[in-house]
Amino acid sequence: MRSNMVTLAAAAGALLFIGLIFSAMVGGVVGDPPADAGDDPAGVALAGVQVAQLIIGVLGVLAITSEYSTGTIRTTLTAVPSRLPVVWAKVAVVTIATFSVLALSALVAFFAGQGLIASGDVDTATLGDPGVLRAVIGAAAFLTGTALLGLALGGLLRSTAGAISTLFGIIFVLPGLGFILLPESAREDLMKYLPSMAGSSFTSVAPDASQLSPSMGAVVFGAWILVPLLGATVAFVRRPV
């Protein structure tokens, strides 16, 4: 659908252009460089991940709820009565399309961002620096996982508004509630297992000491995707249209 293509392009554009804007600021191309310029040049170039996450989550939801809202899901299941291939085909298409486009966007944002940062008297990063390549590829993987989480929630709820609200609640509201409601003694130990916190562990060049390790963060984030996907698969196969 055209809306899905536009949403994917918007996510890639946000990842690229926000990274370029922040890089231009750090490099002094736009205004004066901040005092901490050069502390994390790779992170600056990938600053668009948070905004792109908002957009790409919507794409994952629309990949399945749009068929329910238009009624074309009946046509799909008439053509493919065995429902399981439909689910995994959607997973494959969302994964391949999202990761390929956003990995390219992340690489362009990184290289172009380092060029802008180099305009000022600021240190830059290369893909060979420790943790940089992992952060660049991890940004694309994190956004792809967000799209798949949106797909799973859309399959479970069959409602575009409900799935988007739930997705945003999991990613953005839960960390805030945890910070407010959890006792300080347990806050760090529990919040690092939230999907946004787990994702930041492998999208950062040098994760904070309070975060999970990059490998453990990837495992936890993957579990946040796999469990809802399995639930959505069971619901899709067993529930009537």
Side-chain angles (χ1 to χ4, degrees):
M1 295 179 64
R2 182 178 299 177
S3 60
N4 291 349
M5 299 297 293
V6 171
T7 305
L8 180 57
L15 179 59
L16 174 60
F17 290 114
I18 292 176
L20 294 181
I21 291 170
F22 274 72
S23 298
M25 293 172 61
V26 169
V29 178
V30 179
D32 297 325
D36 58 352
D39 287 354
D40 185 9
V44 169
L46 298 174
V49 168
Q50 295 303 317
V51 175
Q53 185 183 12
L54 289 168
I55 302 170
I56 206 64
V58 173
L59 173 65
V61 171
L62 291 176
I64 189 165
T65 59
S66 59
E67 289 202 64
Y68 283 104
S69 62
T70 60
T72 54
I73 189 66
R74 296 183 179 87
T75 305
T76 298
L77 296 182
T78 299
V80 187
S82 178
R83 299 186 179 192
L84 195 58
V86 175
V87 178
W88 297 119
K90 287 183 177 294
V91 170
V93 169
V94 169
T95 301
I96 293 170
T98 303
F99 184 81
S100 59
V101 171
L102 295 181
L104 177 61
S105 182
L107 285 169
V108 173
F110 174 77
F111 287 115
Q114 300 315 300
L116 290 171
I117 293 172
S119 300
D121 187 18
V122 180
D123 292 335
T124 59
T126 67
L127 289 180
D129 292 341
V132 171
L133 181 60
R134 185 200 67 236
V136 173
I137 300 302
F142 177 64
L143 293 172
T144 302
T146 302
L148 290 175
L149 181 56
L151 177 68
L153 293 174
L156 285 168
L157 300 177
R158 297 186 177 184
S159 165
T160 301
I164 291 174
S165 299
T166 303
L167 176 66
F168 287 0
I170 291 173
I171 294 175
F172 298 105
V173 178
L174 275 183
L177 289 177
F179 186 81
I180 295 172
L181 300 177
L182 290 174
E184 187 174 354
S185 58
R187 190 179 298 157
E188 285 190 0
D189 292 336
L190 295 177
M191 287 183 61
K192 62 185 177 181
Y193 291 98
L194 294 177
S196 54
M197 301 299 182
S200 65
S201 68
F202 60 86
T203 58
S204 302
V205 174
D208 189 87
S210 63
Q211 294 178 317
L212 298 171
S213 67
S215 57
M216 181 57 68
V219 170
V220 171
F221 184 68
W224 275 97
I225 300 165
L226 182 60
V227 172
L229 272 179
L230 291 175
T233 300
V234 172
F236 188 78
V237 171
R238 293 187 175 182
R239 288 193 303 190
V241 177

